[in-house]
Amino acid sequence: MTGAGVSAESGIPTFRGTDGLWKNYSVQDLATPHAFKRDPGLVWDWYRWRQNIILKAQPNPAHYAIVELERMFERFLLLTQNVDNLHYRAGSRKVLEIHGNIFRVRCSECGKENPFTCIDESIHELPRCDCGGLLRPDVVWFGEAIPSRVWAESLDYLNTAQVAVFCGTSGVVWPAAAIPGLAKELRIRTIEINLEPTPFSRTVDVSIMTRAGETLPRIVNALSAAE
Ligand code: OAD
């Protein structure tokens, strides 16, 4: 399972920590259904700004190492909280995006998914669905549930997993934050890679406090040497 820390080395800001997005921007104004109802233009401006940062970024060694892990293990699933599409751009294919994807949109009225074309910051007209409803980023906002299919699939996978790796996530956003505890209950071997301690650092089997872009490639190299 990955979080924003995996994309940090690509230059994409994380959410928490000293320079985290939630230090400078308000969740209540930007990342809730109520915020979108109140001021969809402001919400779109923020998402377009983030889209532009992400479009200029490139996947980093952590993303590529995860692609290698997918190739090495027949049964593999990448559960990501990241909405930036960088795992996919790096080559990962067995991915479940539990918080959605910032480059997809869906109608806030009828729910229909739409291909997204306007990311130009100068566009003032808000994007709309054929039904007339406002289009919104297809991400999970605070106060919204993770799509039930995605969550059910995550739990199914966890039930048969042997090893779970938690990389670059602060582990404070639910329900994703429940997964390390569930893995422990299921007696799955657990490994954490993070720059700093998290709520589950004490309970995982192995906690590695280093950069994801350094550690994941080393794990891949060690596994390749052992093959
Ligand atoms: P956070 O910003 O909460 O946490 C990022 C974690 O990555 C922190 O624990 C950092 O210590 C760690 N980190 C930073 N750089 C790292 C590096 N180079 N290598 C390893 N670890 C590093 O991000 P998330 O846990 O992903 O929700 O946040 C969870 C959710 O909260 C996000 O998906 C987003 C946010 O609100 C939605 O968008 C719905």
Side-chain angles (χ1 to χ4, degrees):
M1 180 168 93
T2 60
V6 164
S7 293
E9 291 165 59
S10 294
I12 299 175
T14 61
F15 294 93
R16 295 168 187 85
T18 357
D19 296 324
L21 289 173
W22 298 144
K23 277 276 181 315
N24 301 309
Y25 298 92
S26 146
V27 172
Q28 298 309 327
D29 289 343
L30 301 166
T32 68
H34 182 66
F36 189 73
K37 262 204 182 103
R38 193 177 49 213
D39 194 344
L42 178 72
V43 173
W44 262 121
D45 279 349
W46 193 65
Y47 278 92
R48 282 186 185 134
W49 170 72
R50 284 180 58 204
Q51 283 177 338
N52 278 295
I53 294 177
I54 293 165
L55 281 176
K56 287 182 197 122
Q58 298 302 326
N60 68 57
H63 295 106
Y64 291 117
I66 293 169
V67 177
E68 288 307 313
L69 291 175
E70 179 177 325
R71 289 200 185 116
M72 278 176 178
F73 295 98
E74 207 179 308
R75 273 188 62 75
F76 175 92
L77 181 70
L78 170 59
L79 206 62
T80 187
Q81 294 166 87
N82 297 346
V83 297
D84 58 27
N85 216 28
L86 283 187
H87 283 303
Y88 202 80
R89 279 171 59 194
S92 287
R93 289 299 174 263
K94 293 181 179 171
V95 189
L96 274 186
E97 295 171 313
I98 59 178
H99 290 165
N101 186 306
I102 200 170
F103 294 104
R104 263 197 329 256
V105 295
R106 67 182 157 86
C107 179
S108 60
E109 300 288 332
C110 72
K112 186 176 148 199
E113 281 189 19
N114 283 262
F116 186 48
T117 46
C118 72
I119 48 162
D120 184 342
E121 276 176 283
S122 65
I123 291 176
H124 294 300
E125 199 136 324
L126 293 173
R128 283 188 184 272
C129 175
D130 301 340
C131 80
L134 281 176
L135 294 177
R136 55 162 280 180
D138 193 6
V139 298
V140 175
W141 280 329
F142 285 87
E144 292 183 319
I146 286 178
S148 52
R149 181 196 58 81
V150 173
W151 186 240
E153 219 175 304
S154 313
L155 296 185
D156 271 0
Y157 220 87
L158 199 64
N159 269 314
T160 56
Q162 292 181 317
V163 179
V165 183
F166 308 106
C167 191
T169 176
S170 58
V172 296
V173 173
W174 292 77
I179 292 187
L182 289 174
K184 199 74 199 162
E185 279 171 27
L186 291 165
R187 297 179 187 277
I188 295 167
R189 298 283 292 172
T190 48
I191 303 169
E192 172 187 57
I193 302 164
N194 201 307
L195 288 182
E196 52 191 42
T198 68
F200 44 87
S201 297
R202 283 167 188 268
T203 49
V204 289
D205 295 307
V206 181
S207 179
I208 308 171
M209 299 278 157
T210 52
R211 290 188 298 112
E214 179 191 327
T215 305
L216 283 170
R218 286 178 65 189
I219 290 175
V220 167
N221 286 341
L223 286 168
S224 308
E227 262 179 348

